[in-house]
Amino acid sequence: MVFEEIYELYWQRIFRLCMGYVNDTELAQDLAQETFIIVWQQLPKFRNESSIGTWIFRIASNNCLRQIEKEKKFAKTDLPINLEEKKQESMEPQIQMLYQFISELPETDRIIISLELEEIRQAEIAHIVGLSESNIRVKIHRIKEKLTQKFKDNGY
């Protein structure tokens, strides 16, 4: 598969996965770009041991986890107090809220539900995350229950 085809096929899905992790449009775009830089660099070494999609999602999730670790090390108190947080307003409020709720989940749950929303097969999710398929099914069910409850708690 040619890189340009891979990019066209997976860009939106990887971006949405990154949004599920960071809930920040610009950062999600940066993380998606970084993911595709890695894909570009590593594509000649890809050995077809898994599907190309599984490989790309694993790269993206590892990239997002590294970003989260960096954020934990950075003291938020170093930021100026008078900055207002800017949000992208073009998304529907329910979608923005969904990304917000997903970003509040534990890291593993974020990757699992983000991949589920991208309609990745549960067997592939299990391979990406390193859990059993039955464990993934249970986790997805529980995550959906948590998200549904959060929407109910917020009047939806």
Side-chain angles (χ1 to χ4, degrees):
M1 200 174 228
V2 183
F3 177 77
E4 289 78 8
E5 293 173 7
I6 294 169
Y7 185 84
E8 286 295 317
L9 191 60
Y10 288 97
W11 167 256
Q12 284 296 323
R13 298 168 81 186
I14 295 301
F15 169 74
R16 288 189 300 260
L17 175 74
C18 294
M19 267 302 283
Y21 266 99
V22 296
N23 192 31
D24 176 315
T25 305
E26 287 181 24
L27 183 55
Q29 287 175 332
D30 289 347
L31 289 168
Q33 281 300 124
E34 288 172 19
T35 297
F36 282 100
I37 290 169
I38 295 167
V39 168
W40 169 258
Q41 292 169 337
Q42 299 298 318
L43 193 56
K45 298 176 186 172
F46 178 65
R47 297 187 306 262
N48 286 314
E49 291 173 357
S50 63
S51 78
I52 190 99
T54 300
W55 180 67
I56 293 169
F57 279 111
R58 180 169 285 208
I59 290 170
S61 60
N62 287 339
N63 205 17
C64 290
L65 289 173
R66 275 193 302 277
Q67 177 62 33
I68 289 166
E69 285 304 310
K70 282 184 206 171
E71 286 179 10
K72 285 180 183 175
K73 291 176 186 172
F74 178 72
K76 299 284 191 248
T77 54
D78 295 343
L79 291 173
I81 297 171
N82 60 347
L83 290 180
E84 286 184 33
E85 187 174 351
K86 303 284 185 205
K87 292 281 185 189
Q88 180 180 349
E89 299 300 327
S90 63
M91 281 193 271
E92 294 179 32
Q94 289 95 340
I95 302 291
Q96 286 181 342
M97 193 167 285
L98 176 62
Y99 281 126
Q100 176 62 41
F101 293 156
I102 290 172
S103 73
E104 294 168 359
L105 293 171
E107 291 170 10
T108 305
D109 291 355
R110 277 188 245 166
I111 184 78
I112 291 170
I113 197 62
S114 295
L115 291 168
E116 173 73 8
L117 290 171
E118 288 304 319
E119 299 177 353
I120 304 299
R121 290 186 353 264
Q122 291 182 353
E124 276 191 75
I125 295 173
H127 183 72
I128 291 166
V129 177
L131 297 172
S132 71
E133 229 179 303
S134 58
N135 195 345
I136 292 295
R137 274 193 297 279
V138 170
K139 282 188 162 291
I140 288 171
H141 178 73
R142 289 182 181 157
I143 294 165
K144 285 180 178 178
E145 284 179 340
K146 281 183 202 172
L147 293 173
T148 300
Q149 188 59 49
K150 285 184 179 235
F151 272 102
K152 287 179 182 174
D153 292 347
N154 283 279
Y156 285 93

